[in-house]
Amino acid sequence: MDPNQKNLQLEEKTKRAWSAIFWLFGFLWAATLLRLYRLDDFSYWDDEAKAFLVATGNTLADVVRLTISTLPTNPPLDTFIRFFFMKLWGQTSWVFALPSLVFSLVGILSYFCLGLKCFNLRVALILAAILSIHPIDIYFAQEARNYAILNALVPWTVLTLFKAMSSGKRKWWALYSLLISLLYYSHMI
């Protein structure tokens, strides 16, 4: 193969990569707007209301104590994350729902990467497009519960498992163990 053909192939790959990045960011932008729309319009009930009260604790020790007494069946990671968000940006219902939105967007990116690894670029982009506009994913992004964390963590856990199995390196197994632990602390499986 002559150098001109190699350059043309490289240019074509570069164009496809930039096109994919453009579409992915477009999907993420649309997903962000859809998830921000009426983010805090829903009233909180039962578990969400209890989690809001727990997350408004003064210290992390308060949050741990209140989680054990108020939400004994809920894993603590979601409440801890919401506690830190509310410490940084204020104790509002909008800030309380914000971690779910963030995890939903990370989930779209996560599933894009998983689709790219398991299939191809076209499938990965279709997956990102569907998740960007999927009503249930939007609902979970606006609900102040721990469901959106799974959307972000599960694909990364699977990708890490693939890497750990193919490489056999301890660092990937350690990362896989950490991600599995985060899954257990984020949702009852």
Side-chain angles (χ1 to χ4, degrees):
M1 186 178 295
D2 68 19
N4 287 337
Q5 285 181 328
K6 285 183 181 179
N7 285 342
L8 287 174
Q9 285 179 343
L10 182 62
E11 281 182 31
E12 184 62 32
K13 283 183 180 180
T14 304
K15 282 180 186 176
R16 272 187 269 140
W18 279 111
S19 176
I21 290 169
F22 172 80
W23 281 106
L24 179 60
F25 278 104
F27 295 144
L28 288 171
W29 179 249
T32 302
L33 293 178
L34 288 170
R35 283 151 180 77
L36 280 172
Y37 177 70
R38 298 180 57 188
L39 179 64
D40 63 348
D41 276 4
F42 302 105
S43 61
Y44 297 130
W45 54 277
D46 196 33
D47 283 354
E48 289 175 314
K50 289 177 184 175
F52 184 86
L53 292 174
V54 169
T56 58
N58 290 327
T59 65
L60 193 55
D62 287 343
V63 173
V64 170
R65 183 181 49 77
L66 289 169
T67 299
I68 293 168
S69 65
T70 310
L71 303 166
T73 59
N74 288 13
L77 183 62
D78 180 65
T79 310
F80 292 166
I81 291 169
R82 291 182 197 286
F83 166 76
F84 287 116
F85 266 68
M86 292 172 80
K87 281 293 178 192
L88 289 172
W89 294 299
Q91 295 182 351
T92 66
S93 59
W94 195 89
V95 173
F96 183 65
L98 189 60
S100 294
L101 183 145
V102 171
F103 281 118
S104 177
L105 295 174
V106 171
I108 294 168
L109 183 60
S110 302
Y111 278 105
F112 172 82
C113 293
L114 185 62
L116 198 58
K117 174 71 175 169
C118 294
F119 300 102
N120 58 38
L121 182 60
R122 176 175 282 165
V123 171
L125 285 171
I126 290 170
L127 191 55
I130 290 170
L131 279 174
S132 295
I133 60 170
H134 198 284
I136 294 174
D137 196 65
I138 294 169
Y139 174 77
F140 285 144
Q142 293 178 334
E143 189 173 49
R145 298 288 293 131
N146 54 355
Y147 307 119
I149 294 175
L150 294 177
N151 206 22
L153 287 178
V154 168
W156 290 118
T157 304
V158 172
L159 286 167
T160 306
L161 177 62
F162 289 165
K163 188 68 174 175
M165 289 172 57
S166 67
S167 73
K169 293 185 178 178
R170 285 185 182 197
K171 69 179 181 179
W172 291 108
W173 285 109
L175 182 58
Y176 174 71
S177 299
L178 173 67
L179 289 171
I180 286 289
S181 298
L182 289 175
L183 281 171
Y184 280 119
Y185 282 104
S186 65
H187 202 277
M188 296 292 205
I189 296 176

